[in-house]
Amino acid sequence: MEAEGLDWLLVPLHQLVSWGAAGAMVFGGVVPYIPQYRDIRRTQNAEGFSTYVCLVLLVANILRILFWFGRHFESPLLWQSIVMILTMLLMLKLCTEVRVTNELNVKRRFFAAADNQDEEIKLPPRRAYLDFDPHHFWHWSSFGDYVQCVLAFTGVAGYITYLSIDSALFVETLGFLAVLTEAMLGVPQLYRNHRHRSTEGMSIKMVLMWTSGDTFKTAYFLLNGAPLQFSVCGLLQEQLGCAQQPWASAQAPRV
């Protein structure tokens, strides 16, 4: 009797919690990139952030959306992918603009130091997606080139999915590819930090939010019965997030 009397409170409360968890899933994934975005914009230096993180997340979320057509999963997870793709494009736009501006400023300082004001300042060579130069892959001079690459990948992957959508093996493989790619998102940043022996320019808040977000995400997957691929992805991301933290702690400025 008491339980029935509390239904008027428990049912709306449960629904409110469900809506909150769904909203956190949709927008929570992009929150770690807000401090990094602000740091890059404030310092006008994008060297500390690996744009290959954007590449990994773009590929992973495009594949995840295609996986949805073969095996429907919860709508919040689908919307999370759409929001993440838009966020990564914004990150790429900022990083590209900052890098190109800095390259031009370096040229100007070089000519000023050499007292060659009479000579015309040559712009840095333009690197484009359609050059098909593997040495400059994902280091192009225009944001439009990144958009072209993303659209081309989406078109090819979408066409292959359309042809193979009736194959259960293909659909399940596509799902695993999507989440395993996403699970590797920390690898480019970890490699960049190891190569430079420094985390300068990388937002420590971003790394900490990666780990806490992955923990929440994994719990959400398990509690809501998401496909196995998602739970595997969450667990792998947690491990990689933990691997980033010693680097961040070691390089953090002492106060």
Side-chain angles (χ1 to χ4, degrees):
M1 197 74 177
E2 252 180 71
E4 288 179 8
L6 289 175
D7 280 351
W8 67 272
L9 177 63
L10 294 177
V11 171
L13 185 61
H14 180 269
Q15 193 171 32
L16 188 62
V17 171
S18 297
W19 287 346
M25 279 304 301
V26 173
F27 298 104
V30 306
V31 171
Y33 300 97
I34 295 175
Q36 185 68 69
Y37 185 94
R38 293 179 64 185
D39 284 352
I40 293 172
R41 190 159 191 167
R42 177 176 53 82
T43 62
Q44 289 298 296
N45 187 345
E47 293 301 317
F49 176 71
S50 174
T51 53
Y52 285 103
V53 171
C54 300
L55 173 62
V56 168
L57 283 173
L58 285 168
V59 170
N61 284 282
I62 290 167
L63 293 179
R64 189 202 283 189
I65 291 172
L66 295 175
F67 175 52
W68 181 86
F69 286 99
R71 183 178 174 185
H72 285 4
F73 46 80
E74 286 194 328
S75 296
L77 299 179
L78 178 64
W79 282 106
Q80 181 196 53
S81 290
I82 295 170
V83 171
M84 183 61 76
I85 288 171
L86 294 175
T87 302
M88 290 302 102
L89 290 174
L90 283 174
M91 287 292 294
L92 277 174
K93 186 174 186 297
L94 176 65
C95 291
T96 304
E97 290 173 351
V98 168
R99 188 184 72 246
V100 171
T101 300
N102 288 343
E103 287 177 356
L104 183 57
N105 288 338
V106 167
K107 284 277 187 180
R108 284 173 176 162
R109 284 197 295 270
F110 172 78
F111 276 93
D115 198 24
N116 287 332
Q117 282 84 354
D118 293 337
E119 294 186 29
E120 183 183 354
I121 298 176
K122 295 181 180 178
L123 294 174
R126 188 182 185 283
R127 299 185 289 270
Y129 158 67
L130 292 177
D131 292 341
F132 300 109
D133 186 346
H135 298 293
H136 295 134
F137 177 75
W138 213 248
H139 289 286
W140 302 309
S141 303
S142 169
F143 172 65
D145 290 302
Y146 292 95
V147 174
Q148 288 180 48
C149 181
V150 170
L151 290 176
F153 174 78
T154 304
V156 171
Y159 183 65
I160 294 173
T161 302
Y162 173 75
L163 294 177
S164 310
I165 199 69
D166 294 328
S167 168
L169 177 61
F170 173 83
V171 171
E172 293 301 318
T173 303
L174 183 64
F176 271 111
L177 281 176
V179 296
L180 288 176
T181 303
E182 183 179 354
M184 297 296 109
L185 78 91
V187 172
Q189 190 66 51
L190 192 64
Y191 174 72
R192 185 261 166 213
N193 296 344
H194 176 75
R195 186 162 57 89
H196 292 271
R197 307 297 297 177
S198 169
T199 59
E200 184 180 355
M202 181 189 74
S203 172
I204 297 174
K205 292 178 184 176
M206 179 183 71
V207 178
L208 295 176
M209 287 181 185
W210 269 354
T211 307
S212 58
D214 292 337
T215 302
F216 169 80
K217 193 163 60 175
T218 305
Y220 181 91
F221 293 155
L222 293 171
L223 292 174
N224 286 275
L228 175 65
Q229 292 97 325
F230 289 91
S231 300
V232 172
C233 166
L235 291 170
L236 286 174
Q237 282 182 291
E238 279 190 68
Q239 297 303 315
L240 285 170
C242 291
Q244 292 271 15
Q245 288 188 36
W247 271 102
S249 302
Q251 298 296 329
R254 300 288 190 268
V255 291

